[in-house]
Amino acid sequence: MCSSPKSSLAVKKLAISFNDELTQEQRLRFAAKANLAQERREQREATNKRYEQKHASSKPSSGLFSWLQQLVS
């Protein structure tokens, strides 16, 4: 048996420099797609928030007190 550690047990950390491997044109396209994705995410979150606000008030409440409030109003 060999006394050296197996290569599968050795921890190797690779420093990935994603930005260094891109050309200027690729960087611009990547930034444009990332900006579009961010805008879509913000629009989706805003839509979901409006939907939740609109439908949260229409949820039926249970209990005697809520039933009396609905009866009075």
Side-chain angles (χ1 to χ4, degrees), residues 17 25 34 52 60 67:
S17 56
E25 182 182 343
E52 288 175 5
W67 179 77

Side-chain angles (χ1 to χ4, degrees), residues 16-44:
I16 299 174
S17 56
F18 179 71
N19 200 24
D20 293 340
E21 297 175 1
L22 299 177
T23 64
Q24 183 65 26
E25 182 182 343
Q26 289 172 326
R27 289 181 192 164
L28 291 174
R29 280 189 284 156
F30 182 84
K33 284 189 179 189
N35 289 339
L36 285 174
Q38 179 66 29
E39 287 177 21
R40 287 193 308 266
R41 183 181 308 112
E42 290 171 357
Q43 289 174 354
R44 184 178 65 245

Side-chain angles (χ1 to χ4, degrees), residues 32-73:
K33 284 189 179 189
N35 289 339
L36 285 174
Q38 179 66 29
E39 287 177 21
R40 287 193 308 266
R41 183 181 308 112
E42 290 171 357
Q43 289 174 354
R44 184 178 65 245
E45 289 172 354
T47 302
N48 289 343
K49 188 175 181 179
R50 283 194 309 268
Y51 179 84
E52 288 175 5
Q53 287 176 347
K54 182 178 179 183
H55 291 87
S57 62
S58 66
K59 288 183 181 177
S61 302
S62 61
L64 181 62
F65 185 70
S66 61
W67 179 77
L68 286 173
Q69 282 181 332
Q70 290 176 359
L71 184 65
V72 172
S73 61

Side-chain angles (χ1 to χ4, degrees), residues 5-12:
K6 293 183 178 179
S7 63
S8 62
L9 298 177
V11 177
K12 296 180 182 179

